Amino acid sequence: MTSTDADRRFSAITRTAAQTRVLDAALKLIAERGVSGTSLQMIADEMGVTKAAVYYHFHAKVDILRALVEPVHERLNELLDAVEAKRARRDRIETLAAGIADIGIAQRALVGIAANDPALRVRLKGEAARFDALNERTVHALYGPHPTNDERAAAYLGSGLPEAVARLSDLDDETLRATLRRSYIRILTVRT
C-alpha cells in the first residue's frame, strides 16, 4: 500500500461518540503511564465500561494508537497541500510555520507523548514511515525538487516539533503558538 493509498483509507474514517470516548480515555492514560503502561483493561476501567466494550471499537492497543495519530497525519497532509499552493518561498515557510504551530497546540498531549515515549514509534512502525514521507514532502514543498543540504537540514530540524512542545509545556497556548511560529520561520529561512 502506498502512502497515498493509506492517506485515502484513513481520511475516510469518521469516529463515533463511543470511539471518541475510548480515544480520550486512552490519551489521558497514555500521557500519564506511557504506551507500555496502558492496557485495554485500564482504558475500560477509566471509562467505567467492560474491556469487551473497548474491544468492540478497537481490537488492540495499536489500533487505538493509530486512531490517535491519524488526525495529525491528515492535518499535516492538508497543511502541505496549502503550502504547495503558495508560489513564494516566504509564503510557503510562513504557512507551514503557522500550521505546524496550530497542530502542536491542538495536539499538545499527543505531541508530548510522541516526544517522550519511544514505545509509540516502535508500536507504530507503519505510521512512522508515513510521517517520514511527510518530512520528505515538506522538504520539497518548501525548497523544490533539488534542496541544498542546508535546506534539508532546516526542514529536518523543524520536524522536531514534538520535542519542542514537550519541553515548552510551561507556556500557555498563545505564547507557545507564537514562539513555535517564530522559531520555525527562523529555522526554515535558510540563506544560501
Side-chain angles (χ1 to χ4, degrees):
M1 176 179 302
T2 68
S3 179
T4 305
D5 292 337
D7 295 342
R8 283 190 206 108
R9 182 189 68 189
F10 284 120
S11 67
I13 295 173
T14 56
R15 301 276 173 242
T16 66
Q19 288 170 325
T20 300
R21 286 192 303 275
V22 171
L23 294 174
D24 289 345
L27 185 59
K28 177 182 182 278
L29 289 170
I30 292 169
E32 292 171 0
R33 301 168 187 253
V35 171
S36 298
T38 302
S39 67
L40 290 180
Q41 184 62 57
M42 293 169 134
I43 295 167
D45 292 346
E46 176 73 21
M47 295 176 62
V49 300
T50 66
K51 183 177 174 182
V54 172
Y55 187 78
Y56 175 80
H57 297 289
F58 299 99
H59 296 298
K61 186 167 40 172
V62 73
D63 296 329
I64 291 172
L65 297 174
R66 284 185 185 119
L68 287 170
V69 300
E70 178 265 318
V72 175
H73 189 271
E74 200 169 293
R75 286 193 65 193
L76 287 169
N77 266 313
E78 292 167 359
L79 174 59
L80 286 173
D81 289 344
V83 169
E84 289 168 342
K86 302 292 182 184
R87 293 190 62 141
R89 177 180 286 195
R90 182 68 182 188
D91 290 342
R92 292 190 305 266
I93 289 171
E94 288 180 1
T95 299
L96 184 69
I100 290 291
D102 288 344
I103 291 169
I105 299 302
Q107 299 292 333
R108 226 175 160 151
L110 185 59
V111 169
I113 294 165
N116 296 314
D117 193 338
L120 182 66
R121 190 167 175 96
V122 169
R123 297 271 183 131
L124 295 175
K125 287 182 184 173
E127 279 67 24
R130 291 173 69 211
F131 281 102
D132 290 344
L134 281 174
N135 280 336
E136 294 307 312
R137 183 177 171 200
T138 299
V139 171
H140 295 287
L142 291 174
Y143 306 116
H146 305 291
T148 67
N149 291 334
D150 289 352
E151 290 167 339
R152 290 174 52 226
Y156 298 146
L157 286 168
S159 69
L161 175 74
E163 185 71 26
V165 170
R167 296 209 178 260
L168 297 171
S169 62
D170 59 316
L171 301 180
D172 64 82
D173 286 354
E174 287 309 309
T175 303
L176 180 59
R177 180 179 284 111
T179 300
L180 291 173
R181 187 181 168 282
R182 280 191 312 271
S183 298
Y184 209 42
I185 288 171
R186 277 191 215 112
I187 290 168
L188 296 174
T189 305
V190 177
R191 306 270 192 270
T192 54

